[in-house]
Amino acid sequence: MKIALEDEYTDIMRKAQRGLGKDTAHLAREADLDVAFVRRVAAGDEHPNEEQARAIGRALGLDPGKFADAVFRRWEPRADLPQDVRHHINAPHPSNGYLLFLQQTRLAALVDPAGMPERLLRAVADGPFHLRYVLITHKHADHCDATAEVARAFPEAQILIHRDDAHAIGDLARRALQLRDHEHVPFGDAEIRALHTPGHTDGSVCYLFRNLVFTGDTLFAGSVGGAYGDLSTYDDVLRSVRLRLFSLDEENVLLPGHGPPSTIAEEKAHNPFFSVS
């Protein structure tokens, strides 16, 4: 089933405006556009033309061509779900959950345990898999609110979460591996490595396994997560992507917390938050 992009161009505008602290009047002045028109565009009530879209993108510090592509829906990622990953929606949340598994040994890691726990338990049982790890990308409920139920069902599974977000899982934090940047755990003949990518939350992490990157809400196909950290900022979101994720191999497949898979190469080429260098 094809998964729609997480963000429309109006979402991209909203995130950039909020991150820059730029209200609609300020944006309209910098884009040299009528403020009422920009307000309608931001609300999705009127569509800008190519020139207007590029002007809005420039005024928001976005790549103008990539932002125009988002406005006119001229791009979508072409990455497929890897064979060693099963995807599910964490209903009733709209977030993505994943089950990473090793075919030979049937070991598995559950990424972002949220939503109805019976769906998660069934996903493990359907393998059948031996659940070795529970990986939490960040503290928001739509990514971790079923952690307690999963932990009760699989008491031997190790929970991984960054120390700055560990309070979100309550008493379970005491038995979790509270991560620092670049900490890793063995998984088959390789390892799962945590990359600290603050910005969306202070303790946001992405998990790297071979050529797969589970990005949580740090990076989406064609967008980024909004900045909701207590200490980290919008600039931190962008810096995390540029320095941590865009330094990885371009063929790495990105598996985000919302929306479809992508690759490092496609995000460098098409994500409007990042200009062509």
mmCIF file of all heavy atoms in Angstrom, residues 88-92 114-124 126:
data_model
loop_
_atom_site.group_PDB
_atom_site.id
_atom_site.type_symbol
_atom_site.label_atom_id
_atom_site.label_comp_id
_atom_site.label_asym_id
_atom_site.label_seq_id
_atom_site.Cartn_x
_atom_site.Cartn_y
_atom_site.Cartn_z
ATOM 1 N N HIS A 88 3.939 -1.353 10.419
ATOM 2 C CA HIS A 88 2.550 -1.285 10.865
ATOM 3 C C HIS A 88 2.259 0.134 11.327
ATOM 4 O O HIS A 88 3.179 0.887 11.673
ATOM 5 C CB HIS A 88 2.276 -2.281 12.004
ATOM 6 C CG HIS A 88 3.207 -2.146 13.167
ATOM 7 N ND1 HIS A 88 4.376 -2.868 13.277
ATOM 8 C CD2 HIS A 88 3.167 -1.356 14.274
ATOM 9 C CE1 HIS A 88 5.009 -2.537 14.393
ATOM 10 N NE2 HIS A 88 4.285 -1.621 15.012
ATOM 11 N N ILE A 89 1.005 0.502 11.299
ATOM 12 C CA ILE A 89 0.572 1.792 11.834
ATOM 13 C C ILE A 89 0.201 1.584 13.298
ATOM 14 O O ILE A 89 -0.506 0.640 13.645
ATOM 15 C CB ILE A 89 -0.627 2.351 11.050
ATOM 16 C CG1 ILE A 89 -0.237 2.599 9.585
ATOM 17 C CG2 ILE A 89 -1.149 3.628 11.688
ATOM 18 C CD1 ILE A 89 0.830 3.663 9.405
ATOM 19 N N ASN A 90 0.689 2.481 14.147
ATOM 20 C CA ASN A 90 0.428 2.375 15.583
ATOM 21 C C ASN A 90 -0.968 2.906 15.924
ATOM 22 O O ASN A 90 -1.122 3.836 16.712
ATOM 23 C CB ASN A 90 1.489 3.143 16.373
ATOM 24 C CG ASN A 90 2.843 2.476 16.336
ATOM 25 O OD1 ASN A 90 2.956 1.257 16.324
ATOM 26 N ND2 ASN A 90 3.905 3.285 16.315
ATOM 27 N N ALA A 91 -1.981 2.320 15.313
ATOM 28 C CA ALA A 91 -3.361 2.762 15.551
ATOM 29 C C ALA A 91 -3.689 2.694 17.045
ATOM 30 O O ALA A 91 -3.255 1.768 17.735
ATOM 31 C CB ALA A 91 -4.317 1.874 14.756
ATOM 32 N N PRO A 92 -4.427 3.681 17.563
ATOM 33 C CA PRO A 92 -5.129 4.745 16.840
ATOM 34 C C PRO A 92 -4.254 5.934 16.453
ATOM 35 O O PRO A 92 -4.754 6.898 15.861
ATOM 36 C CB PRO A 92 -6.212 5.178 17.839
ATOM 37 C CG PRO A 92 -5.559 4.967 19.176
ATOM 38 C CD PRO A 92 -4.731 3.715 19.011
ATOM 39 N N ALA A 114 3.820 1.726 20.246
ATOM 40 C CA ALA A 114 2.748 2.673 20.567
ATOM 41 C C ALA A 114 1.423 2.154 20.031
ATOM 42 O O ALA A 114 1.370 1.247 19.210
ATOM 43 C CB ALA A 114 3.064 4.049 19.976
ATOM 44 N N GLY A 115 0.357 2.759 20.533
ATOM 45 C CA GLY A 115 -0.970 2.396 20.068
ATOM 46 C C GLY A 115 -1.514 1.173 20.776
ATOM 47 O O GLY A 115 -1.227 0.925 21.957
ATOM 48 N N MET A 116 -2.298 0.378 20.067
ATOM 49 C CA MET A 116 -2.957 -0.783 20.663
ATOM 50 C C MET A 116 -1.939 -1.911 20.853
ATOM 51 O O MET A 116 -1.411 -2.442 19.865
ATOM 52 C CB MET A 116 -4.105 -1.244 19.771
ATOM 53 C CG MET A 116 -5.232 -0.227 19.683
ATOM 54 S SD MET A 116 -6.654 -0.792 18.698
ATOM 55 C CE MET A 116 -6.004 -0.646 17.043
ATOM 56 N N PRO A 117 -1.636 -2.271 22.093
ATOM 57 C CA PRO A 117 -0.568 -3.246 22.333
ATOM 58 C C PRO A 117 -0.828 -4.610 21.717
ATOM 59 O O PRO A 117 0.115 -5.302 21.317
ATOM 60 C CB PRO A 117 -0.488 -3.325 23.859
ATOM 61 C CG PRO A 117 -1.758 -2.737 24.364
ATOM 62 C CD PRO A 117 -2.195 -1.750 23.350
ATOM 63 N N GLU A 118 -2.102 -5.018 21.611
ATOM 64 C CA GLU A 118 -2.381 -6.338 21.052
ATOM 65 C C GLU A 118 -1.894 -6.454 19.612
ATOM 66 O O GLU A 118 -1.486 -7.535 19.175
ATOM 67 C CB GLU A 118 -3.875 -6.670 21.135
ATOM 68 C CG GLU A 118 -4.804 -5.720 20.422
ATOM 69 C CD GLU A 118 -5.261 -4.560 21.288
ATOM 70 O OE1 GLU A 118 -4.607 -4.269 22.322
ATOM 71 O OE2 GLU A 118 -6.281 -3.934 20.926
ATOM 72 N N ARG A 119 -1.897 -5.361 18.873
ATOM 73 C CA ARG A 119 -1.380 -5.378 17.496
ATOM 74 C C ARG A 119 0.126 -5.630 17.493
ATOM 75 O O ARG A 119 0.648 -6.335 16.630
ATOM 76 C CB ARG A 119 -1.692 -4.064 16.794
ATOM 77 C CG ARG A 119 -3.169 -3.837 16.554
ATOM 78 C CD ARG A 119 -3.407 -2.423 16.067
ATOM 79 N NE ARG A 119 -2.754 -2.182 14.782
ATOM 80 C CZ ARG A 119 -3.406 -1.955 13.651
ATOM 81 N NH1 ARG A 119 -4.724 -1.970 13.631
ATOM 82 N NH2 ARG A 119 -2.761 -1.723 12.538
ATOM 83 N N LEU A 120 0.811 -5.044 18.447
ATOM 84 C CA LEU A 120 2.267 -5.203 18.524
ATOM 85 C C LEU A 120 2.625 -6.624 18.937
ATOM 86 O O LEU A 120 3.552 -7.232 18.380
ATOM 87 C CB LEU A 120 2.851 -4.194 19.519
ATOM 88 C CG LEU A 120 2.460 -2.730 19.306
ATOM 89 C CD1 LEU A 120 3.113 -1.853 20.362
ATOM 90 C CD2 LEU A 120 2.840 -2.258 17.914
ATOM 91 N N LEU A 121 1.906 -7.151 19.919
ATOM 92 C CA LEU A 121 2.175 -8.513 20.376
ATOM 93 C C LEU A 121 1.901 -9.509 19.255
ATOM 94 O O LEU A 121 2.639 -10.486 19.083
ATOM 95 C CB LEU A 121 1.328 -8.840 21.602
ATOM 96 C CG LEU A 121 1.424 -7.868 22.789
ATOM 97 C CD1 LEU A 121 0.683 -8.427 23.989
ATOM 98 C CD2 LEU A 121 2.872 -7.568 23.140
ATOM 99 N N ARG A 122 0.849 -9.229 18.481
ATOM 100 C CA ARG A 122 0.530 -10.114 17.368
ATOM 101 C C ARG A 122 1.601 -10.055 16.288
ATOM 102 O O ARG A 122 1.944 -11.069 15.684
ATOM 103 C CB ARG A 122 -0.828 -9.732 16.767
ATOM 104 C CG ARG A 122 -1.363 -10.761 15.761
ATOM 105 C CD ARG A 122 -2.691 -10.319 15.160
ATOM 106 N NE ARG A 122 -3.606 -9.825 16.179
ATOM 107 C CZ ARG A 122 -4.124 -8.604 16.190
ATOM 108 N NH1 ARG A 122 -3.811 -7.751 15.231
ATOM 109 N NH2 ARG A 122 -4.952 -8.232 17.148
ATOM 110 N N ALA A 123 2.156 -8.871 16.055
ATOM 111 C CA ALA A 123 3.204 -8.732 15.039
ATOM 112 C C ALA A 123 4.420 -9.581 15.388
ATOM 113 O O ALA A 123 5.043 -10.191 14.512
ATOM 114 C CB ALA A 123 3.606 -7.265 14.909
ATOM 115 N N VAL A 124 4.755 -9.637 16.673
ATOM 116 C CA VAL A 124 5.879 -10.467 17.108
ATOM 117 C C VAL A 124 5.507 -11.944 17.004
ATOM 118 O O VAL A 124 6.294 -12.772 16.509
ATOM 119 C CB VAL A 124 6.291 -10.111 18.544
ATOM 120 C CG1 VAL A 124 7.425 -11.028 19.022
ATOM 121 C CG2 VAL A 124 6.721 -8.649 18.639
ATOM 122 N N ASP A 126 3.368 -13.376 15.070
ATOM 123 C CA ASP A 126 3.145 -13.830 13.707
ATOM 124 C C ASP A 126 4.420 -14.286 13.020
ATOM 125 O O ASP A 126 4.357 -14.988 12.005
ATOM 126 C CB ASP A 126 2.481 -12.719 12.873
ATOM 127 C CG ASP A 126 0.994 -12.609 13.155
ATOM 128 O OD1 ASP A 126 0.454 -13.480 13.855
ATOM 129 O OD2 ASP A 126 0.382 -11.624 12.697
#
